[in-house]
Amino acid sequence: MKSAKKVMMVICVFFAIIALGNSCKKFEVLNSDPNSITPAVASPDYLMANVLTKSATWYGNLGSGLLSGGMQQTYQDVFGDAFSAYQWVPQSWAGNYAILRDNKLLMQKAQTNDWKFHQGVALVMRAFNYGNIADFWGDAPDSMALNGDKSGSENLFPVFDPQDKIYTRVIADLQAAIPYLNGSIGDHPEITNVTIASDVFYAGDPAKWQKLAYSLLLRYNMRLSSKMDVKANVEAIAAKVIAGNDGNWLMPFPGIDQGSSYQFCINFNRPSDYNRNKMCGTFTMKLMALKDPRIVIMAEPIVTPSIVDASKFAAGDNTTLLNLVNGIRYINPAAAAAANFKQFDTATYSQDRPYGAVVSAIYSLYDTASRYVGIPISYSNFDFQYNINGTGTQATSLNDYVSYLRRDIYNNPSGDLLGQRLLSYSEICFDLAEAALNGWNVNGTAEDWYNKGIKASFDNWKVFEKYQPDVDSYYGCTKNYSSYIAQPTVKFNNSLQRIMEQKWIASWQTCNEAYMDWRRTGYPGIKVGWRSFRGVIPVRFAYDNTELQNNSVNGDAAIAKLKPTSYIDIDGNNSSWSKFWLVDGTGKPW
């Protein structure tokens, strides 16, 4: 708690420094327009702040946005084609390379000044941003990138480095960063009050940055574990990673404007922009099946529960579908059957609404869960009317029969549970659980690390701290950590599936790694829905047309290396359903 408050104070101080130092320019303009000042006079600390905040915003918004929908934790009704129907379009990496350009200048200035802390941070952030590019696009400019100020076609039109070579560079950068981050703040005279204010993650603490470097090494070695032997690498760093939630890599939201706030809150959006973000039925059903108390900090209880009860209707009536009595909506089973309605069940969803089936061959679904209801993935063009919401409209996206994200938490620009989350202790625990399951020596058994990962998630979201009264009032969940992990459906059973399922749940609001794990292992075993754009979940971002037009020769060469699948349809090789090196030949995720 003290660490979080300190970082939040640092962020607010940083904003104040910017305002005082450049009252004629808004913070956003200063950081997004490097041409407003010359490289010669650019402050390394402000460059660092720009790199950190922009990196966190890109990664965090993706994890709580598109990938939260992709991993079926949340759902966007009304125009949610990309979010909940997997209609992924080519993505631009211009913002990612803009961050890397500023990071290159940061590194150059840090080297000139012999500022070790700044060099270490720049190496970590270079690794992180290139890692993201490799993770999502595959082959990309790296070795010859960011040289547009130099002459020569090789600099103006950089070659796309192979994905595996980019990962090699990522790991090398992280390893190189570690010695620069030795010691404490007192050992680094280059760390000033401005540096502390500019470090929106760790307030200038080199020891925490060093543990982060080791933790990212663990992340990327596990990422590569299906393609190469990483056992020795993982064993060598297992004891050096972050060891608690106080090391979590996150940026709290100052909540000053849209860019510094939780992306879906109504403070800087229309009400409908928040209302269209609801829970996904895949996730709510899983949480309820596990009696998982974390659901209370995720979902808003529905306004009106539904019960199937023939006694509330006249005998022989098979046309009256609904009857609202004392705040409870009753469903007539005879009328529901006649109208081709049935209860949503994740076990039969693929049969009830098969992908690509004609409308006459599918059921309409309702959900009689009494407190939390999510929309089934890729449900329909009229998903704002799900659960027999006859008054639902595209304009408002209001639905009394479906759970929104919990309003008192997520409908705010900032809060103690809100932030751009990039890496957590629970992720590290589940990585080490997987490593131990493989038989590797990581200072604990798979069960030990699995249980620690669950507890870290509960603690991170203050489930049994701040929200214990809500847990106690919900009849459908366990009331403490010990009871939760003792359940047969949760207790460790020596399976990778169980580790990945819990890691997926712990990734709430930061689904980046859940997506990477699903792509690598096939877990959790999620499927698409009836209105999905293609028959399976996409595995990469397609290259943006602007990049391909500007650097066509190298772009075309990279596309030619992609492995097309039966799901690319009319896309050609540059498809979100083509496989790149990382997943090619693994048989995963499909």
Side-chain angles (χ1 to χ4, degrees):
M1 176 63 73
K2 289 182 180 179
S3 176
K5 287 182 178 178
K6 180 180 179 182
V7 172
M8 190 65 198
M9 180 182 68
V10 164
I11 293 174
C12 293
V13 169
F14 172 66
F15 272 73
I17 288 172
I18 292 294
L20 291 171
N22 198 353
S23 60
C24 294
K25 295 181 180 179
K26 290 183 178 180
F27 169 76
E28 191 69 20
V29 174
L30 178 62
N31 279 277
S32 62
D33 182 12
N35 295 321
S36 63
I37 54 175
T38 63
V41 299
S43 161
D45 286 323
Y46 292 165
L47 285 168
M48 181 177 72
N50 183 55
V51 169
L52 303 190
T53 56
K54 296 299 187 200
S55 298
T57 299
W58 183 86
Y59 189 85
N61 283 352
L62 185 63
S64 63
L66 180 70
L67 295 181
S68 180
M71 292 311 297
Q72 301 182 19
Q73 293 193 354
T74 58
Y75 192 106
Q76 277 189 356
D77 59 17
V78 185
F79 312 119
D81 288 349
F83 199 96
S84 300
Y86 299 107
Q87 190 172 349
W88 288 14
V89 298
Q91 298 290 313
S92 172
W93 56 31
N96 305 80
Y97 280 101
I99 294 170
L100 284 163
R101 282 194 296 274
D102 282 352
N103 193 72
K104 179 180 180 180
L105 182 57
L106 167 62
M107 174 61 82
Q108 290 169 343
K109 286 183 168 291
Q111 290 172 331
T112 298
N113 296 332
D114 193 27
W115 288 0
K116 290 181 170 53
F117 174 75
H118 295 71
Q119 289 182 68
V121 169
L123 283 165
V124 170
M125 297 311 296
R126 185 168 73 182
F128 177 68
N129 281 284
Y130 271 117
N132 286 329
I133 291 170
D135 284 342
F136 288 102
W137 284 276
D139 291 4
D142 179 2
S143 60
M144 300 302 295
L146 310 178
N147 292 327
D149 57 334
K150 299 180 181 179
S151 61
S153 60
E154 70 277 11
N155 294 313
L156 296 176
F157 308 104
V159 66
F160 283 44
D161 291 81
Q163 186 184 38
D164 61 314
K165 301 302 181 185
I166 299 176
Y167 284 132
T168 299
R169 159 87 170 265
V170 166
I171 290 173
D173 278 350
L174 292 169
Q175 291 171 332
I178 289 168
Y180 288 110
L181 299 168
N182 284 330
S184 64
I185 291 178
D187 299 314
H188 291 264
E190 70 274 18
I191 299 177
T192 66
N193 287 337
V194 176
T195 310
I196 292 170
S198 298
D199 180 2
V200 296
F201 298 134
Y202 294 127
D205 188 336
K208 287 188 174 181
W209 274 98
Q210 188 177 72
K211 284 187 174 295
L212 172 64
Y214 281 117
S215 299
L216 286 171
L217 278 170
L218 175 61
R219 172 186 283 183
Y220 276 102
N221 274 288
M222 297 307 293
R223 178 95 79 254
L224 296 169
S225 62
S226 60
K227 297 291 286 190
M228 58 183 64
D229 182 3
V230 298
K231 176 177 181 288
N233 296 342
V234 170
E235 290 182 339
I237 61 176
K240 301 174 183 179
V241 295
I242 63 173
N245 282 328
D246 60 345
N248 286 351
W249 192 22
L250 64 87
M251 181 181 74
F253 291 114
I256 296 172
D257 55 17
Q258 175 68 55
S260 64
S261 300
Y262 181 65
Q263 61 177 322
F264 299 127
C265 72
I266 66 170
N267 297 57
F268 308 104
N269 292 295
R270 297 168 298 179
S272 61
D273 290 333
Y274 180 84
N275 291 334
R276 63 195 291 243
N277 291 279
K278 299 181 173 71
M279 297 299 292
C280 181
T282 308
F283 202 47
T284 55
M285 287 293 192
K286 175 55 68 174
L287 293 168
M288 289 187 292
L290 298 180
K291 298 182 179 180
D292 197 311
R294 284 171 287 191
I295 198 170
V296 304
I297 60 91
M298 300 172 178
E300 183 81 4
I302 56 176
V303 175
T304 305
S306 302
I307 297 175
V308 176
D309 188 348
S311 71
K312 301 299 181 180
F313 302 86
D317 181 359
N318 64 354
T319 58
T320 305
L321 183 60
L322 305 171
N323 185 16
L324 186 65
V325 180
N326 296 327
I328 298 176
R329 187 182 65 170
Y330 293 94
I331 300 173
N332 183 349
N340 213 33
F341 277 94
K342 67 180 299 188
Q343 167 70 38
F344 169 51
D345 185 341
T346 54
T348 61
Y349 183 53
S350 296
Q351 291 76 49
D352 295 336
R353 296 177 69 85
Y355 164 72
V358 297
V359 174
S360 60
I362 63 175
Y363 285 97
S364 294
L365 303 178
Y366 56 79
D367 191 335
T368 56
S370 62
R371 186 170 297 195
Y372 299 109
V373 172
I375 303 177
I377 191 66
S378 312
Y379 183 71
S380 78
N381 293 322
F382 301 97
D383 40 18
F384 51 88
Q385 295 179 334
Y386 175 67
N387 208 11
I388 324 180
N389 179 31
T391 61
T393 67
Q394 193 176 71
T396 66
S397 195
L398 294 174
N399 192 329
D400 287 348
Y401 313 102
V402 170
S403 294
Y404 302 89
L405 275 63
R406 180 167 170 164
R407 289 187 182 276
D408 65 346
I409 296 176
Y410 304 100
N411 195 15
N412 288 292
S414 61
D416 59 351
L417 292 187
L418 296 179
Q420 302 289 23
R421 300 173 181 274
L422 290 80
L423 182 145
S424 69
Y425 177 54
S426 61
E427 175 194 331
I428 296 303
C429 292
F430 289 122
D431 280 343
L432 294 174
E434 181 184 354
L437 186 67
N438 292 338
W440 306 346
N441 181 11
V442 290
N443 307 307
T445 67
E447 184 173 12
D448 290 339
W449 285 116
Y450 170 83
N451 289 336
K452 287 178 181 179
I454 295 173
K455 188 175 188 305
S457 176
F458 282 133
D459 292 346
N460 187 40
W461 291 102
K462 303 181 181 180
V463 176
F464 301 126
E465 181 187 337
K466 183 175 181 179
Y467 296 95
Q468 184 71 56
D470 298 323
V471 171
D472 291 340
S473 69
Y474 176 39
Y475 65 89
C477 70
T478 57
K479 307 308 178 187
N480 55 66
Y481 162 75
S482 298
S483 298
Y484 181 75
I485 63 169
Q487 298 179 101
T489 52
V490 175
K491 185 176 175 60
F492 187 60
N493 63 354
N494 290 302
S495 73
L496 179 61
Q497 180 177 359
R498 189 147 292 188
I499 293 173
M500 289 301 157
E501 183 176 89
Q502 283 294 328
K503 192 177 180 186
W504 169 56
I505 296 171
S507 72
W508 170 248
Q509 289 295 292
T510 177
C511 282
N512 313 64
E513 280 305 298
Y515 175 71
M516 300 299 165
D517 289 329
W518 164 81
R519 194 175 61 185
R520 175 172 63 87
T521 68
Y523 299 124
I526 53 179
K527 306 294 183 183
V528 300
W530 173 68
R531 206 177 73 82
S532 177
F533 190 57
R534 301 281 166 80
V536 293
I537 300 170
V539 293
R540 61 179 291 270
F541 287 166
Y543 297 121
D544 179 61
N545 288 335
T546 301
E547 177 66 26
L548 298 179
Q549 291 167 0
N550 293 338
N551 192 4
S552 60
V553 172
N554 292 312
D556 288 346
I559 291 171
K561 291 171 58 181
L562 293 167
K563 299 299 176 66
T565 70
S566 58
Y567 301 102
I568 67 170
D569 201 61
I570 62 172
D571 299 345
N573 271 28
N574 184 31
S575 172
S576 290
W577 290 266
S578 290
K579 291 191 173 185
F580 45 33
W581 171 82
L582 187 62
V583 293
D584 181 41
T586 65
K588 304 293 183 182
W590 36 259

